[in-house]
Amino acid sequence: MSDIRPPLPPFTAETAAQKVRAAEDAWNSRDPARVALAYTPQSVWRNRHEFIQGRTEIEAFLIRKWEQEHEYRLIKELWAYTHARLAVRFAYEWHTAEGQWFRSYGNENWDFDSQGLMQARHASINDVPIEESQRLFHWDRSAPRPAEHPGLSALGL
């Protein structure tokens, strides 16, 4: 796969939203190798309490994550953008092996290189237990979120 990931900085409102949707679709694939390729080989992450560096660590982190977070479905929304940085808010729903559902809310700050690869990701995330009946994210997990499925703002999140 190419080390160029359009859209490239400098971002416009339209290209920033495209970048966010591409990231959402990739994460919803739950394919750690695919997701890791969107980051520079030396990418630095802060994810909750973990500090992660490089594609190998990113891929290992995602493998662990998706082994624990069953029925994972994610929605991302652009919050703000500048030349090469995006601020994103997100929520995802998942359940434990024991069947406890959660909705995890968070914010991410992303920094991109000139090739459109993310070189830094800072994520703050909170998990809120929910009942299965409170779930809002309903689509076939084998495909990206359909265009007609509401986003975070439309869902009141």
Side-chain angles (χ1 to χ4, degrees):
M1 187 166 261
S2 173
D3 272 352
I4 299 177
R5 281 291 174 117
L8 307 176
F11 295 116
T12 64
E14 180 181 354
T15 61
Q18 290 170 354
K19 197 71 154 178
V20 172
R21 184 56 192 244
E24 175 187 314
D25 290 349
W27 278 67
N28 276 324
S29 77
R30 295 165 320 283
D31 180 343
R34 173 184 171 195
V35 173
L37 289 175
Y39 301 89
T40 64
Q42 308 80 20
S43 187
V44 176
W45 282 21
R46 183 190 50 75
N47 193 86
R48 301 176 192 253
H49 63 279
E50 291 188 65
F51 293 84
I52 301 161
Q53 185 166 1
R55 287 180 179 161
T56 301
E57 289 185 20
I58 290 168
E59 191 170 339
F61 166 82
L62 293 171
I63 289 168
R64 282 193 329 270
K65 172 185 178 62
W66 289 320
E67 285 174 349
Q68 298 170 359
E69 296 177 352
H70 303 276
E71 297 293 323
Y72 177 93
R73 288 175 179 82
L74 164 74
I75 299 176
K76 292 182 179 281
E77 185 174 279
L78 178 65
W79 187 254
Y81 69 95
T82 63
H83 175 82
R85 292 183 171 169
L86 303 180
V88 177
R89 65 190 202 95
F90 64 88
Y92 60 93
E93 294 180 346
W94 59 281
H95 70 79
T96 63
E98 297 76 29
Q100 173 60 59
W101 280 92
F102 289 88
R103 185 173 303 119
S104 298
Y105 298 93
N107 298 292
E108 296 174 308
N109 297 312
W110 300 346
D111 184 34
F112 293 88
D113 70 7
S114 62
Q115 303 301 302
L117 295 171
M118 196 181 303
Q119 56 193 1
R121 174 184 174 266
H122 304 280
S124 298
I125 307 166
N126 299 298
D127 301 319
V128 178
I130 61 172
E131 297 296 323
E132 185 172 6
S133 62
Q134 295 174 296
R135 292 181 53 223
L136 299 173
F137 302 176
H138 300 282
W139 65 85
D140 179 356
R141 281 188 337 120
S142 67
R145 176 173 57 99
E148 66 275 4
H149 191 286
L152 296 178
S153 291
L155 290 167
L157 300 176

